[in-house]
């Protein structure tokens, strides 16, 4: 069987990231619209209007999108749908440098198209919700947010390495494992940083918000670049170190 071209694999990455951001951030927009106008506890700044049930629903929406795309395109492009994952796989020698730019550009385009599609469907009220853009919440510093994203992405990349990349893993369970760890990350740290774990997932809503008159969050973008990339790199190298097999002499 001939190798699938970079162009076709990049299209798979674009579509996969589009579905991830449309369903994932779309669930955030829907949740915010549903609770809009609900009373908040003034003295509790940790309460942003979404209760734990809403965060659970958002986490499951992201999980379903990831699970579906892994099973749809995993055998085509590997379903990275995340620049941090592509970079970590490249750094550990599992992804060629010549394919890197095509994948990352496709991921950013897919995420951006998804955010603009949400606005096309819901109109300006979607922009008013922030389009599911990730941002630091009250009481969270820049360094804390970056650490949070790194730790959460570490869990994600470790799961990817163990369930998908490692050929010794049981076949057929990668999508479920990866989707569920993302859901868990969102449930736990969604109210801290928005739980991006993915520079492309943050880029799409930021771009649409900026171009359509929403909040300008670009000053926080380094959090969602450095945090996820560092977390993914550490996870990939730690996994390789822990699972390295040496012959006994």
């Amino acid at each position: 069987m001939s190798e699938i071209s970079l162009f076709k694999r990049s299209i798979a990455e674009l579509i996969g990231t589009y579905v991830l951001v449309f369903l994932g951030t779309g669930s955030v927009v829907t949740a915010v619209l549903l609770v809009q106008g609900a009373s908040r506890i003034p003295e509790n700044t940790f309460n942003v209007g979404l209760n734990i049930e809403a965060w659970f629903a958002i986490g499951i929406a992201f999980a379903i999108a990831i699970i579906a795309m892994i099973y749809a395109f995993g055998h085509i492009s590997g379903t990275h749908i995340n620049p941090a994952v592509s970079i970590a796989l490249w750094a550990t020698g599992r992804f060629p440098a010549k394919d890197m730019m095509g994948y990352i550009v496709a991921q950013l385009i897919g995420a951006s198209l998804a955010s603009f599609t949400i606005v096309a469907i819901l109109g300006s009220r979607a922009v008013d919700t922030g389009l599911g853009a990730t941002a630091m919440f009250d009481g969270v510093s820049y360094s804390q947010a970056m650490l949070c994203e790194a730790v959460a992405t570490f869990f994600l990349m470790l799961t990817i390495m163990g369930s998908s990349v490692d050929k010794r893993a049981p076949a057929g369970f990668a999508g479920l494992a990866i989707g569920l760890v993302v859901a868990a990350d969102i449930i736990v740290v969604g109210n801290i940083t928005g739980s991006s774990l993915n520079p492309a997932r943050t880029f799409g809503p930021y771009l649409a918000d900026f171009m359509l008159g929403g909040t300008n969050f670009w000053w926080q973008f380094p959090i969602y670049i450095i945090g996820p990339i560092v977390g993914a790199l550490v996870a990939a190298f730690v996994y390789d170190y822990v699972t390295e097999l040496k012959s006994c002499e």
Side-chain angles (χ1 to χ4, degrees), residues 97-144:
K98 63 181 178 63
D99 294 352
M100 180 80 69
M101 188 57 66
Y103 267 48
I104 292 177
V105 169
Q107 292 157 1
L108 296 176
I109 292 174
S112 301
L113 290 175
S115 292
F116 283 110
T117 302
I118 291 171
V119 177
I121 292 171
L122 289 172
S124 60
R125 59 181 175 169
V127 179
D128 294 338
T129 70
L131 289 175
T134 53
M136 296 181 295
F137 285 72
D138 287 343
V140 180
S141 70
Y142 211 89
S143 59
Q144 287 174 325

Side-chain angles (χ1 to χ4, degrees), residues 100-235:
M100 180 80 69
M101 188 57 66
Y103 267 48
I104 292 177
V105 169
Q107 292 157 1
L108 296 176
I109 292 174
S112 301
L113 290 175
S115 292
F116 283 110
T117 302
I118 291 171
V119 177
I121 292 171
L122 289 172
S124 60
R125 59 181 175 169
V127 179
D128 294 338
T129 70
L131 289 175
T134 53
M136 296 181 295
F137 285 72
D138 287 343
V140 180
S141 70
Y142 211 89
S143 59
Q144 287 174 325
M146 197 172 292
L147 176 61
C148 179
E149 285 293 309
V151 171
T153 309
F154 177 89
F155 300 151
L156 167 61
M157 191 67 204
L158 204 63
T159 305
I160 292 171
M161 295 295 290
S163 66
S164 178
V165 175
D166 195 327
K167 301 306 180 185
R168 296 167 293 181
F173 291 97
L176 187 61
I178 296 166
L180 289 179
V181 78
V182 169
D185 274 343
I186 290 171
I187 293 167
V188 175
V189 304
N191 214 94
I192 298 172
T193 61
S195 191
S196 173
L197 326 177
N198 182 340
R201 175 258 180 272
T202 292
F203 179 85
Y206 274 21
L207 181 64
D209 270 329
F210 179 73
M211 293 185 66
L212 299 174
T215 305
N216 184 349
F217 286 114
W218 285 115
W219 65 279
Q220 296 190 39
F221 195 41
I223 293 171
Y224 303 102
I225 299 175
I226 298 171
I229 291 175
V230 169
L233 285 171
V234 172

Side-chain angles (χ1 to χ4, degrees), residues 6-122:
L6 174 60
F7 179 71
K8 289 183 178 179
R9 285 183 283 125
S10 297
I11 291 176
E13 286 294 304
L14 187 155
I15 296 171
T17 312
Y18 177 94
V19 173
L20 168 67
V21 174
F22 183 87
L23 293 181
T25 66
S27 71
V28 178
V29 172
T30 299
V32 172
L33 289 174
L34 287 173
V35 301
Q36 202 168 49
S39 60
R40 302 179 184 179
I41 305 172
E43 65 276 12
N44 181 8
T45 56
F46 195 69
N47 180 358
V48 295
L50 298 179
N51 56 27
I52 191 63
E53 292 83 0
W55 284 117
F56 179 82
I58 291 167
I60 292 301
F62 272 98
I64 291 171
I66 291 168
I67 292 168
M69 290 303 98
I70 287 175
Y71 291 134
F73 292 125
H75 57 292
I76 304 296
S77 69
T79 312
H80 298 186
I81 57 177
N82 184 338
V85 172
S86 298
I87 291 170
L89 293 176
W90 161 77
T92 55
R94 294 179 171 89
F95 187 61
K98 63 181 178 63
D99 294 352
M100 180 80 69
M101 188 57 66
Y103 267 48
I104 292 177
V105 169
Q107 292 157 1
L108 296 176
I109 292 174
S112 301
L113 290 175
S115 292
F116 283 110
T117 302
I118 291 171
V119 177
I121 292 171
L122 289 172

